[in-house]
Amino acid sequence: MAVADSPSLVIRYSGLKLRFALIIAAITAPVWIGWSFYVSSWLAKAILAGGFLGYMDLVYLLCFYVGLTIFGFVFLAVALDNRIVLTQDGVRMPVCYLFEMNWDTKRAWDELQSLEFKDDEVLFKFKDGFTRFNLNGLHAGDMKDLVIATRTNSPNTRCSFDKKAIASGIAGVKAGRDDKTFTSVWEENIAIRFGTTAFVPLETKTTLQNGRLTIVGQVSFGGLSAIYLCKDPFGETFILKEAVVPLNVDESTKQKAMELFQREAAILQGLNNPNIARVFDHFVENGRDYIVLEHVEGLDLRQYVKELGSQPERLVMRWGLETANILSYLHNQNPPIIHRDVTPDNLVLDRTGSIKLIDFGAANLFLGTATGTLVGKQSYISPEQFRGKATPQSDIYSLGCTLYYLAVGKDPDALCQSHLPEELGTKMPKLDELIASLTALEVEDRLENAEQVAQHCQSYLTALVREEA
């Protein structure tokens, strides 16, 4: 299947194979350009003067030198082709990889089985073969764009990363198609009641705000919203969250949706915490609402555990401490802010090794008398949030479920008090006790606030340091 003329993302590759081809083309240029042209001109004059029939040996020699010139230019064109072209339909490799690609450099996305970052190389594995590129020949930003394009257009393709790729942040791209955004509120309260609309996500290279932002690729899409990776004219990367109100709702409903959007954006822009993804701007364009967020470079904890396995008690406690401090900051706002979607997907380990909370899709003003909205992934949602009455302790329940995932490597059972498996519980009694106290089904049986969670984690870490001393 050929790659169609759809919007494309071009990645430039500077590898040894291409450099070697250029060197050969340059060294041999005096032969296939200078000498061949000179000899061909001389032979052509001789043949024209003496006739073809009497000088067939010169005709053959002329064909050879003309062919040599043509071959030289073709070889140069191949050597200069350093583009990996990604479109919505597939991927095209540089022409010099023609032999490795079984004489066809174009592949549809459904032919790509895996994308592997390993030992300073990225390996494309197709159904009928593979090809590899040295990471030193690719820009770090291009590598992230490559991962985004692959996860967006080919969700069934397996992406794997070794420790070096993880440390460099190559894998730090969220790409789940079930991501919850703040527009889940709209999907529940507007879309379900008033019907849906045909929502077409933006294409790659679409520009917004008079060219201030350019779409690089789609990270996720669902319902009436989408999340994109975008760049500004200076090459800075951002996350762009887009939402649209159904066209078939009345004006008053649209106005309420707009007020919700503006209130949500104002809340998030007012936050100032180094461990929370920043919100830079919000705007409306072509009837769609957008929030511009910080692009956190790193790896979310779900992907981290998928790549490296379940984590030791000490590390889980440290991450629990950092997350509890973040929740404490949110819950102590006036009025308190409930994130409502604390999961391994929304906790990113950045390049400094610190935890950052992202995706305020479910963040909302906490109104004690208001009925909440069912937001959050099934295995991490508390019973009261499931009933539509979330409280700050709902985030604490979700944190307990997250700690369980980090220690065990799989999601906990939904709407249950979680305990580590017996063998792990014996090895990690303090962590098992903490998880159970955070995931109690009744709110009054849980730890009261995030500060208490932080104290428990800190006490464990302090005692551990004393033991080692």
Side-chain angles (χ1 to χ4, degrees):
M1 176 180 177
V3 179
D5 294 329
S6 53
S8 62
L9 178 67
V10 177
I11 294 176
R12 300 285 179 177
Y13 176 63
S14 177
L16 289 177
K17 183 182 292 187
L18 294 173
R19 292 175 185 172
F20 184 66
L22 283 173
I23 291 173
I24 292 178
I27 292 175
T28 59
V31 176
W32 58 267
I33 294 181
W35 177 251
S36 292
F37 183 79
Y38 170 75
V39 173
S40 296
S41 300
W42 179 82
L43 289 173
K45 290 180 181 179
I47 293 172
L48 289 174
F52 284 91
L53 295 178
Y55 295 92
M56 286 304 297
D57 53 342
L58 295 182
V59 173
Y60 296 144
L61 194 59
L62 175 62
C63 292
F64 169 77
Y65 279 108
V66 171
L68 182 62
T69 302
I70 295 173
F71 175 81
F73 279 108
V74 171
F75 185 83
L76 180 62
V78 171
L80 290 173
D81 181 17
N82 66 341
R83 303 185 310 157
I84 302 173
V85 182
L86 309 171
T87 73
Q88 295 174 344
D89 301 304
V91 57
R92 185 188 75 80
M93 299 299 179
V95 179
C96 66
Y97 288 87
L98 191 65
F99 178 75
E100 294 181 19
M101 301 283 291
N102 293 325
W103 305 103
D104 184 6
T105 60
K106 297 178 181 179
R107 288 289 188 277
W109 285 114
D110 58 10
E111 297 180 54
L112 181 60
Q113 295 183 322
S114 68
L115 184 68
E116 302 176 10
F117 289 84
K118 184 179 180 182
D119 298 331
D120 295 320
E121 291 183 328
V122 55
L123 180 67
F124 291 78
K125 284 190 175 180
F126 298 95
K127 292 180 179 179
D128 61 348
F130 65 89
T131 186
R132 65 181 77 236
F133 298 89
N134 193 291
L135 296 183
N136 293 328
L138 294 167
H139 187 271
D142 287 337
M143 286 187 276
K144 289 184 180 180
D145 293 346
L146 170 62
V147 174
I148 288 176
T150 301
R151 287 176 165 171
T152 300
N153 295 291
S154 184
N156 294 325
T157 296
R158 183 176 65 88
C159 295
S160 64
F161 312 89
D162 60 11
K163 292 184 178 180
K164 184 174 182 179
I166 292 172
S168 66
I170 294 173
V173 178
K174 289 185 75 241
R177 291 183 176 267
D178 60 346
D179 297 69
K180 294 287 185 178
T181 68
F182 78 99
T183 49
S184 297
V185 178
W186 296 356
E187 293 175 31
E188 295 271 339
N189 292 313
I190 297 176
I192 293 178
R193 288 188 208 168
F194 300 98
T196 60
T197 184
F199 174 57
V200 180
L202 300 178
E203 295 183 338
T204 302
K205 292 189 176 182
T206 299
T207 59
L208 299 169
Q209 297 235 293
N210 295 321
R212 187 171 70 87
L213 295 174
T214 302
I215 302 298
V216 173
Q218 184 188 129
V219 177
S220 66
F221 162 69
L224 302 171
S225 63
I227 301 176
Y228 309 94
L229 188 73
C230 65
K231 290 185 178 181
D232 66 9
F234 304 102
E236 291 293 322
T237 303
F238 302 93
I239 292 295
L240 185 69
K241 305 182 78 171
E242 175 190 50
V244 60
V245 181
L247 298 175
N248 58 342
V249 303
D250 55 60
E251 286 301 320
S252 63
T253 302
K254 289 183 181 180
Q255 185 61 36
K256 288 180 181 178
M258 180 64 67
E259 291 174 359
L260 176 63
F261 172 83
Q262 292 176 343
R263 184 178 68 175
E264 189 80 17
I267 292 171
L268 301 183
Q269 282 186 280
L271 299 178
N272 183 20
N273 187 296
N275 296 105
I276 295 176
R278 295 176 58 193
V279 174
F280 295 109
D281 192 14
H282 69 278
F283 60 92
V284 178
E285 187 168 322
N286 297 325
R288 300 187 179 193
D289 303 288
Y290 298 94
I291 290 183
V292 183
L293 301 103
E294 173 188 5
H295 177 229
V296 179
E297 296 188 357
L299 191 67
D300 69 66
L301 295 187
R302 180 175 295 279
Q303 190 65 36
Y304 188 95
V305 171
K306 281 184 177 180
E307 300 297 336
L308 300 179
S310 57
Q311 300 301 299
E313 186 174 22
R314 179 174 186 168
L315 190 55
V316 174
M317 284 288 194
R318 181 168 73 81
W319 289 342
L321 172 62
E322 294 183 29
T323 307
N325 287 333
I326 297 172
L327 294 179
S328 175
Y329 171 82
L330 294 175
H331 295 169
N332 282 295
Q333 298 298 303
N334 186 21
I337 297 175
I338 309 173
H339 189 276
R340 301 183 189 228
D341 202 10
V342 179
T343 67
D345 310 80
N346 292 332
L347 294 170
V348 171
L349 191 64
D350 68 14
R351 289 185 172 184
T352 67
S354 299
I355 293 293
K356 273 202 171 186
L357 182 64
I358 63 171
D359 195 355
F360 272 81
N364 200 357
L365 284 170
F366 172 50
L367 304 176
T369 58
T371 299
T373 304
L374 178 57
V375 180
K377 298 171 180 65
Q378 183 178 358
S379 294
Y380 298 83
I381 191 171
S382 65
E384 69 276 6
Q385 186 175 335
F386 182 80
R387 294 191 295 267
K389 295 186 178 293
T391 73
Q393 283 177 289
S394 301
D395 285 345
I396 292 176
Y397 178 93
S398 299
L399 175 56
C401 295
T402 298
L403 299 184
Y404 176 95
Y405 174 82
L406 297 176
V408 178
K410 66 178 184 179
D411 294 323
D413 293 332
L415 301 175
C416 291
Q417 183 177 33
S418 297
H419 278 279
L420 296 178
E422 184 175 353
E423 184 177 351
L424 277 179
T426 303
K427 293 180 180 179
M428 308 178 181
K430 293 293 184 182
L431 181 58
D432 183 47
E433 180 183 343
L434 177 62
I435 290 174
S437 65
L438 298 182
T439 58
L441 296 181
E442 300 298 330
V443 173
E444 57 270 18
D445 294 332
R446 292 178 211 152
L447 293 183
E448 186 175 347
N449 50 51
E451 288 84 353
Q452 290 186 2
V453 181
Q455 290 172 6
H456 276 69
C457 294
Q458 185 62 67
S459 297
Y460 167 84
L461 294 171
T462 301
L464 191 61
V465 170
R466 288 174 180 171
E467 291 177 6
E468 293 176 348

